[in-house]
Amino acid sequence: MKILIIGGSGGIGQALIEHCLSAYDDVTIYATYHSTPPAVQNEHIVWFKTDVSAEQDVMALAQHVPHLNMLINTVGALHQPDKRPEKSINEFDPVFFQNNLNANALPTLLLSKHFANHLKGKHQTYFVAFSARIGSIEDNRIGGWISYRCSKAALNMAIKTISIEWKIKQPRCCIIAFHPGTTDTQLSKPFQKNVPTDKLFTPDYVAQCLLNVLTKITPAETGKFYSYSGDEIPW
Ligand SMILES: NC(=O)c1ccc[n+]([C@@H]2O[C@H](COP(=O)([O-])OP(=O)(O)OC[C@H]3O[C@@H](n4cnc5c(N)ncnc54)[C@H](OP(=O)(O)O)[C@@H]3O)[C@@H](O)[C@H]2O)c1
């Protein structure tokens, strides 16, 4: 089993590495980090320092990683040291918007372009992108957080569009978007105050939820948006 985890230095990425190591036999994990040095080291993990919003880095990564069973992209950003998500359109900042697109949408487009061949073959393979329910247009009832919302909506459209192309070109690959729920990581830290305890998940729980979803889906489910609960979310 060969698995590529993009963003292995993040809260959910680290938990996924640990879950994949215990869930699968004879597993090799290829994992990326960007600015945070890896916390887990082990003979089954091969680390790459990669900026997945830069095409040259993604191309170099593709050359060093073999054929895969799974690619899971956990990279994402919601806030910066000096910038919180917008409460209203008056706070919109083009640079912050561009940073959101670079972290939340662009990497999945580059990864699907350069890793399509790694996921082709006779066996079922998976391409998973971590999205967020907030990127669902149909589910948007409260507004706000414009840059993050738009970037995750762009990611969702990318997944849906690529799934249509891959149904023909690589019909055994399941490509899905995944919503982890509010999870206790650096990304959600500034926004956890009003989250009920039972709605703030551990990265460990979320990693297990994703692996549960992956055991249930087949290529017939490609192009869908799943919640941690296993339910489908409208695009
Ligand atoms: N936590 C939540 O409540 C929540 C809710 C809904 C959706 N999500 C989504 O779940 C995913 C995982 O989030 P998390 O909670 O684990 O966040 P996190 O702990 O903040 O981790 C974010 C990861 O993204 C990486 N990253 C950011 N920009 C990058 C770039 N340009 N190139 C390469 N790596 C980059 C970081 O790498 P370095 O640290 O090495 O720079 C880190 O590994 C994200 O897509 C997020 O949007 C999270």
Side-chain angles (χ1 to χ4, degrees):
M1 181 72 114
K2 293 190 170 23
I3 301 173
L4 173 58
I5 297 183
I6 307 290
S9 51
I12 295 175
Q14 278 184 39
L16 266 169
I17 292 176
E18 279 153 21
H19 274 257
C20 289
L21 286 172
S22 59
Y24 302 113
D25 293 331
D26 193 21
V27 65
T28 305
I29 310 275
Y30 302 88
T32 72
Y33 66 101
H34 184 217
S35 53
T36 312
V40 209
Q41 300 277 5
N42 157 332
E43 74 271 23
H44 298 285
I45 311 174
V46 185
W47 283 99
F48 298 91
K49 181 168 167 50
T50 311
D51 176 354
V52 283
S53 62
E55 185 160 25
Q56 285 194 333
D57 274 28
V58 176
M59 283 166 71
L61 180 69
Q63 280 164 10
H64 288 98
V65 170
H67 192 271
L68 295 166
N69 301 90
M70 252 181 230
L71 185 160
I72 305 175
N73 177 21
T74 71
V75 164
L78 169 62
H79 53 90
Q80 295 169 196
D82 58 341
K83 206 92 191 160
R84 294 282 182 98
E86 314 86 344
K87 288 190 177 132
S88 127
I89 188 65
N90 297 334
E91 295 168 21
F92 182 78
D93 170 353
V95 175
F96 183 64
F97 178 66
Q98 199 60 56
N99 289 345
N100 270 265
L101 285 175
N102 285 347
N104 296 318
L106 183 59
T108 290
L109 289 154
L110 293 174
L111 290 162
S112 52
K113 176 177 173 188
H114 293 290
F115 282 88
N117 285 335
H118 294 68
L119 295 162
K120 264 187 191 151
K122 291 187 193 124
H123 302 292
Q124 187 165 314
T125 58
Y126 302 87
F127 183 114
V128 180
F130 269 70
S131 182
R133 184 182 283 276
I134 201 169
S136 163
I137 291 174
E138 203 171 325
D139 195 72
N140 185 358
R141 291 177 181 86
I142 57 169
W145 291 22
I146 297 167
S147 295
Y148 187 67
R149 254 187 216 287
C150 290
S151 64
K152 290 296 190 185
L155 166 67
N156 289 352
M157 181 57 90
I159 292 290
K160 178 72 188 178
T161 303
I162 296 156
S163 77
I164 293 167
E165 183 176 328
W166 284 7
K167 267 184 199 166
I168 297 158
K169 293 186 178 164
Q170 40 201 89
R172 289 180 195 83
C173 183
C174 308
I175 173 163
I176 61 159
F178 182 77
H179 165 64
T182 307
T183 310
D184 186 9
T185 65
Q186 286 307 318
L187 184 136
S188 70
K189 273 279 183 286
F191 314 100
Q192 292 179 1
K193 206 172 63 188
N194 297 323
V195 181
T197 329
D198 63 335
K199 291 277 182 272
L200 180 64
F201 302 144
T202 64
D204 220 35
Y205 171 74
V206 167
Q208 189 55 55
C209 289
L210 173 62
L211 297 193
N212 293 346
V213 168
L214 296 185
T215 57
K216 290 186 189 125
I217 61 171
T218 71
E221 278 77 46
T222 199
K224 292 188 173 174
F225 184 12
Y226 285 100
S227 168
Y228 60 89
S229 60
D231 295 332
E232 210 183 317
I233 300 174
W235 289 116

